[in-house]
Every structure is written in C-alpha cells, then in structure tokens.
Amino acid sequence: MRIIKILFLTICFCNHSYSQKSEIGNWFVYLGNQKINKKWNWHNEVQYRNYNFIGDTNQLLLRTGIGYNLTEDNNVLIGYGFINTQKYLPNSDQKVDTNEHRIYQQFITRQKTGKVFLQHRYRLEERFISNDFQLRLRYLLGINIPINKKTLEKNALYLSSYNEIFMNLEKPLFDRNRLYGALGFVINKNFKIEAGIMAQTLENSNRNQFQIVIFNNLPF
C-alpha cells in the first residue's frame, strides 16, 4: 500500500506542475486478448477517442500484436498500431488529419497481494508520423481490487486504477501522464466492463476523459 500512496502523491504533484488548462472528452475502448495456445496469444484493440462525449472525433487507434507467455504471469509481446488523429487548428473549427504507424514491444508482469491485483507494463514504441520518427518509453502500474467478491470472478464489482507515464528519448523528455480511476464489473470469464475518468497531463496542458472500456479474454 505504500507504493500506491507514493504513486498518487507523485501524480498529484505532476498534475499541479504541468496543468494549465482542462478540457473533457470521452474514450470508447475495446481490449481483446485471445489465446492461440498455451504459450501464444493474440492482442487486438480499438479506441475511439472524442473531444466531446461522442461524434467529435479526436483519434481512432487500432492496435494488434502477438504475445508469448514466459510464465503464467509474465508476457512479452510485439505489435503494430495505426493511429489517425484529427487535431483542431489554433483558434479555428477546422481539423487537420495525421496518420501514425507505430511498432511497439512490451513486457507485462502480474502479481497478487491479498485482494489486490497488480500489473506492471513496460513498453517501447517506434513512431512513424508523416516524415518524422520518434522513440517513446511508457510505464504503467495498474491496480484492481474486488469489492463484493474475494477475486475477479463472475458478477464481481471491482475498483480499477492505473497510472502511466510516457517519456520521449529526445527533448522534451516528458511526454504525458495518465491517471485513471473506474468502477468495473465482471460479466463472465470472457468479458468485463469498466467506466471511469482518466486525467491526462501533458507538458503545458491537461485533458480529462470519461472512459468506457470492454475487456475480452484478459489477462494475456
């Protein structure tokens, strides 16, 4: 629990230091992970991100990958992502489209302490944006805590939270930070759903997002 307290104190400091303005949008997220066999898995993901609740598109993100289980709780994965971004021009109602092709490698490790489920995700991204190439590191700490059950089983309500920090391998080093909190429900062994709020802190601004997330066949 000391780690969790340090995490939240750190993010509160980051939000105070970097935030200058705030806007609210909404993300609809699907995260899938299907077993190919005992060792291999297929990751599939769709994120539809809006400036408002729905209809004013900010980003469409499509991501996939092939993972390999080192152990039951440790997985390595390599994948590809396509991201279409529609960004408003300053002081205008017009948008500019940008397409990004992204290759990424990641390592996920999971552990359980009492009723607390922890996940650490380390990710390296190679980003191809128009005529630019960028490298970025990401670290995510995720926490799930069942409310009405002893574990994340069918009909379990649970609290979900994560913090993810993004660091560029060139200046500026700080890219962004995401702090998320939600209430989740386990529908059955294949599906669960979450609804929550994510505070995203960038170098000179922040943006708050509602999130609705559907999970299919996780973990791994």
Side-chain angles (χ1 to χ4, degrees):
M1 296 304 293
R2 182 178 298 176
I3 295 175
I4 299 172
K5 290 178 182 178
I6 293 173
L7 171 66
F8 277 87
L9 287 173
T10 300
I11 301 315
C12 287
F13 174 78
C14 287
N15 285 341
H16 176 75
S17 300
Y18 288 102
S19 300
Q20 294 184 5
K21 61 182 180 178
S22 178
E23 300 174 351
I24 298 178
N26 188 42
W27 292 7
F28 296 96
V29 180
Y30 165 84
L31 296 172
N33 222 30
Q34 285 76 42
K35 287 184 178 180
I36 298 173
N37 55 39
K38 186 176 180 179
K39 285 292 186 179
W40 295 91
N41 64 284
W42 171 50
H43 177 79
N44 43 97
E45 179 177 344
V46 179
Q47 297 193 28
Y48 175 47
R49 302 172 175 178
N50 292 269
Y51 286 105
N52 55 12
F53 182 76
I54 191 170
D56 189 3
T57 303
N58 173 212
Q59 279 187 333
L60 175 64
L61 183 150
L62 307 174
R63 188 154 39 207
T64 189
I66 296 295
Y68 179 80
N69 293 334
L70 301 173
T71 67
E72 184 178 356
D73 294 317
N74 296 278
N75 179 273
V76 292
L77 182 143
I78 184 169
Y80 165 79
F82 172 79
I83 301 93
N84 172 260
T85 301
Q86 300 180 26
K87 188 174 182 180
Y88 280 104
L89 294 172
N91 303 315
S92 171
D93 291 332
Q94 294 184 334
K95 292 180 179 179
V96 174
D97 274 17
T98 302
N99 290 330
E100 175 183 347
H101 300 275
R102 186 182 300 175
I103 300 170
Y104 68 99
Q105 304 81 39
Q106 71 181 31
F107 169 66
I108 292 178
T109 181
R110 304 178 192 273
Q111 51 196 169
K112 184 176 183 291
T113 304
K115 290 183 64 175
V116 178
F117 293 81
L118 296 174
Q119 173 183 293
H120 304 269
R121 187 181 72 194
Y122 308 85
R123 180 179 287 176
L124 172 65
E125 296 177 328
E126 296 84 38
R127 307 176 66 199
F128 300 86
I129 311 170
S130 298
N131 296 321
D132 192 19
F133 173 73
Q134 300 175 15
L135 288 171
R136 187 167 67 182
L137 293 170
R138 300 168 58 168
Y139 167 69
L140 179 145
L141 171 60
I143 303 168
N144 286 337
I145 305 174
I147 298 173
N148 62 332
K149 302 279 186 178
K150 293 183 178 180
T151 187
L152 295 174
E153 59 188 76
K154 182 179 179 180
N155 295 328
L157 283 170
Y158 65 94
L159 297 174
S160 177
S161 179
Y162 71 73
N163 187 77
E164 184 172 22
I165 187 166
F166 298 61
M167 302 295 292
N168 297 311
L169 295 186
E170 58 185 27
K171 293 183 179 180
L173 294 179
F174 176 80
D175 184 80
R176 68 194 62 203
N177 194 91
R178 293 174 179 170
L179 177 63
Y180 169 78
L183 181 65
F185 178 71
V186 180
I187 300 171
N188 54 43
K189 66 178 182 179
N190 295 320
F191 289 96
K192 62 181 182 180
I193 188 169
E194 292 180 6
I197 297 176
M198 186 265 290
Q200 180 165 228
T201 304
L202 292 89
E203 185 178 13
N204 297 309
S205 64
N206 83 343
R207 176 180 289 274
N208 297 322
Q209 315 282 356
F210 293 109
Q211 285 194 186
I212 299 173
V213 188
I214 297 175
F215 299 87
N216 180 14
N217 285 344
L218 295 177
F220 306 149

